[in-house]
Amino acid sequence: MRLTLRAGPAAGIHELHTAQALDALRRTELARVRAAAAAWRNGIGGLLAAVAGFGIVKGRSDIGELTPLWARAVGILLLAALVIGTVGALSLIRAATGRPRLLPVAEFRNPAYHEHVEAVLSVRALRRGIALALAAATLLVAAVAATWYGPARPAGSAAEPAHVPQVYVLVVVGVGGRAEDHRAAV
Amino acid sequence: MTSSTPAAQHDPSPYLEQTHDSYAVWAAETFTAAAAEHGIVLLTGACPQCRGDVEIVLVNTIFAGRNRPGGWLRPGGSADPSSARLFMCTCPLEHPDRPQGYSGCGAYWKLTIEAAAG
């Protein structure tokens, strides 16, 4: 798209001060996005770890005790939580650390330009990561609740382990720069 | 080999925040503007006051942060590309008495950016 420039109206000194403040914000923008993303990554990682840990502590621990329908529902919930949580975690990591990408020299324009583009993409990844991680936590809670409160298989009914999905929820989160592995076998 | 020497024309006068009607006219006639992704516009030209080379990255959004009006993660700033925007000299060359953290010579002006017809 070709752009044309026209002289604008007279500029006021207060507008200059606003532009200077905006310029200062832009120069620190990427660092602020990275710091916010790291804080969200750690906080949401802790939340997911707590939810997974809580699921281990109490309640029914074998979905083989549920009716087959509820057992399958729990399996689907856990699988969805795993997939959505993984995508969310990757989005949060991407926002906090950036993409491992090589920039072709021919595409280089201006350091400030590339910093702002990266900040925009990181904010989008951060918002996506927050939404997905919270959705994964909700699914995880729903799976644990269904396991605890779902109807039990009638007494005398043989369990069907071959039809019961053996699902493990693996939550790998960066807390304080370390990767922690929490497995919740349900 | 030939080389351009814009720095030789640069006026290293002390930093002074000022504007003049001729600044906007000069910039409108001599600056080049290129649209980039995410609504960014890149402008290049020589400052109307000090003649230093200026590269301006015009953004429509900025990461607000939690302590800024608009709340968490909400981009701020003007999103209307047709409205007049203020530009200021950001030349990297030395100007005495320039406050720390600032760039350029202090010149500022307003331009309107429009998509060219056709």
Side-chain angles (χ1 to χ4, degrees):
Chain A
M1 181 172 61
R2 206 166 65 81
L3 300 173
T4 58
L5 301 173
R6 281 195 301 112
I13 189 71
H14 63 284
E15 292 175 289
L16 173 65
H17 295 156
T18 301
Q20 288 167 336
L22 184 67
D23 190 52
L25 269 181
R26 189 192 51 72
R27 277 187 266 118
T28 61
E29 183 181 30
L30 185 56
R32 291 185 292 111
V33 172
R34 293 278 190 256
W40 275 96
R41 180 198 61 193
N42 295 344
I44 287 185
L47 173 69
L48 282 173
V51 170
F54 186 64
I56 297 171
V57 172
K58 277 189 167 287
R60 188 185 281 145
S61 60
D62 183 359
I63 60 174
E65 298 172 18
L66 293 168
T67 62
L69 183 65
W70 277 77
R72 289 191 185 94
V74 169
I76 290 169
L77 285 171
L78 288 174
L79 184 61
L82 176 66
V83 172
I84 291 172
T86 300
V87 176
L90 290 174
S91 293
L92 289 173
I93 292 169
R94 185 257 174 272
T97 60
R99 288 178 297 173
R101 175 181 181 244
L102 293 172
L103 178 71
V105 173
E107 292 180 17
F108 181 80
R109 293 186 169 190
N110 177 309
Y113 166 77
H114 290 291
E115 274 205 4
H116 180 66
V117 169
E118 176 59 23
V120 169
L121 295 175
S122 294
V123 169
R124 287 181 184 170
L126 176 55
R127 298 174 73 141
R128 182 172 62 244
I130 292 169
L132 291 176
L134 292 178
T138 304
L139 289 169
L140 203 52
V141 168
V144 171
T147 306
W148 290 0
Y149 302 113
R153 183 184 295 276
S157 169
E160 301 174 31
H163 299 293
V164 175
Q166 299 295 310
V167 178
Y168 290 86
V169 176
L170 175 64
V171 183
V172 180
V173 293
V175 178
R178 290 179 305 145
E180 295 188 355
D181 183 348
H182 302 269
R183 288 169 191 259
V186 181
Chain B
M1 190 177 81
T2 60
S3 63
S4 59
T5 56
Q9 303 169 3
H10 177 247
D11 174 11
S13 297
Y15 180 87
L16 179 62
E17 293 180 350
Q18 67 175 0
T19 187
H20 190 275
D21 291 346
S22 62
Y23 290 179
V25 175
W26 161 276
E29 290 175 353
T30 62
F31 272 55
T32 59
E37 55 187 337
H38 304 297
I40 300 169
V41 176
L42 299 169
L43 295 104
T44 54
C47 170
Q49 179 169 270
C50 74
R51 298 295 192 265
D53 282 341
V54 174
E55 281 188 80
I56 296 171
V57 179
L58 186 65
V59 303
N60 279 327
T61 59
I62 192 85
F63 176 66
R66 73 176 122 184
N67 296 325
R68 295 286 161 187
W72 251 111
L73 309 180
R74 191 185 303 272
S78 169
D80 181 5
S82 64
S83 63
R85 298 283 297 266
L86 186 130
F87 297 85
M88 58 187 182
C89 175
T90 57
C91 82
L93 302 170
E94 192 61 36
H95 288 278
D97 304 332
R98 185 167 61 200
Q100 192 161 9
Y102 284 39
S103 60
C105 68
Y108 59 99
W109 61 93
K110 287 179 90 171
L111 293 176
T112 301
I113 303 173
E114 293 171 340

